[in-house]
Amino acid sequence: MDDRQWRTHRLEQADQTLREWDARVLAAGPEGIVLDRSAFYPGGGGQPPDHGVLLWGGVQTRIVDARKGDDLYLMPAEADPLPAVGTAVRGAVEDERRTALMRTHSGLHVLCGVVFRDFGAPVTGGNMEPLTARMDFNLPDIPPGFRDAVEAACNAEVQADRRIDVRVLPRDEAFAIPDIIRTATNLVPPEVKDVRIIDIVGLDQQADGGTHVASTRQVGRIEVVKVENKGKGFRRLRIRVADA
Ligand SMILES: [Zn+2]
């Protein structure tokens, strides 16, 4: 999969606050709907796809999923009407779900930065739903008070209200940043020339296509719900994101 070949211009990559926009239908059929411009995050990097709606000709097509193939296909709710090719539509991302996912995704990057800085443990995997997530680390020994220490350090970083910047860098420049290399979960295919970097300034930098809040305070409170031992240095941390 190489999203640079998609016909859809991905608006959410540059503006993570965008929730409504105008677009035109390039394809529509059983395989899904392709738009010329879309702010629907299609899923990836552990962040699930957005939900939302297309409004056109007095009807609505609910978008409940996305499929990444030769194009970015938006998947309509079963039995919802399909707009014809060429139709002008108004797209809208469901704000509650997306905002929750942005807070959760940024919260995971805070966790990732804290656990690496304070315990030297790299991330090996992760996944999220709105306001709940897990992240896996390679951490052979859990020191006493680990859960409380991680939770306190995460919330200190939230309170510090660190800026979360998005940058697109040429591949060579991106991989010259030491932080980018250590995040083994985000292996970037060799044909990708430009790398999008999410920078929690002073804490964590990762190659990442996901959507994030603009500063750490917007995450809210991070609760480390559980630390699971999955064997052989494999630790799974479960978090919940709550209102501050
Ligand atoms: Zn991420």
Side-chain angles (χ1 to χ4, degrees):
M1 192 276 297
D2 180 358
D3 64 4
R4 288 166 311 133
Q5 289 168 2
W6 292 350
R7 288 180 288 173
T8 307
H9 179 59
R10 287 181 58 188
L11 304 168
E12 88 285 4
Q13 294 287 285
D15 183 0
Q16 304 170 103
T17 67
L18 185 69
R19 296 292 184 267
E20 286 186 47
W21 68 98
D22 292 312
R24 200 161 285 280
V25 175
L26 300 179
E31 73 283 357
I33 300 164
V34 180
L35 299 180
D36 62 346
R37 292 149 42 86
S38 168
F40 286 103
Y41 184 65
Q47 181 180 336
D50 286 331
H51 294 170
V53 69
L54 305 179
L55 300 169
W56 52 281
V59 300
Q60 66 167 11
T61 305
R62 288 166 297 166
I63 301 300
V64 295
D65 201 357
R67 192 172 62 78
K68 296 181 281 186
D70 57 334
D71 256 321
L72 166 54
Y73 294 94
L74 303 174
M75 305 308 292
E78 216 182 311
D80 273 16
L82 274 184
V85 171
T87 304
V89 300
R90 182 88 180 147
V93 164
E94 186 193 306
D95 177 64
E96 191 179 342
R97 173 180 168 88
R98 159 69 88 74
T99 299
L101 286 167
M102 286 166 68
R103 290 171 58 196
T104 309
H105 198 160
S106 298
L108 278 179
H109 283 216
V110 169
L111 176 71
C112 178
V114 160
V115 173
F116 184 75
R117 181 194 65 195
D118 296 352
F119 300 93
V123 171
T124 56
N127 206 2
M128 76 196 84
E129 291 299 325
L131 305 181
T132 168
R134 66 168 171 82
M135 188 153 263
D136 299 334
F137 294 91
N138 181 3
L139 179 63
D141 298 301
I142 298 185
F146 174 73
R147 192 198 68 84
D148 290 349
V150 169
E151 185 172 290
C154 284
N155 287 305
E157 296 303 332
V158 167
Q159 288 306 313
D161 203 20
R162 291 184 186 272
R163 243 176 41 232
I164 304 178
D165 289 348
V166 183
R167 277 198 306 278
V168 177
L169 294 178
R171 185 186 182 86
D172 293 352
E173 237 173 277
F175 284 96
I177 304 169
D179 283 0
I180 303 304
I181 297 158
R182 77 173 158 78
T183 47
T185 46
N186 291 319
L187 294 173
V188 179
E191 68 274 14
V192 175
K193 299 284 183 289
D194 296 313
V195 180
R196 185 172 178 269
I197 305 289
I198 299 297
D199 182 6
I200 303 183
V201 178
L203 180 66
D204 180 81
Q205 295 191 77
Q206 293 187 37
D208 191 298
T211 61
H212 291 263
V213 293
S215 75
T216 57
R217 201 186 280 269
Q218 293 177 26
V219 171
R221 199 158 42 81
I222 297 173
E223 296 169 3
V224 179
V225 179
K226 210 173 177 188
V227 178
E228 296 171 22
N229 184 356
K230 310 295 269 187
K232 279 235 165 218
F234 177 179
R235 315 292 168 173
R236 174 165 289 172
L237 272 67
R238 295 190 182 277
I239 66 164
R240 199 161 41 217
V241 170
D243 292 336

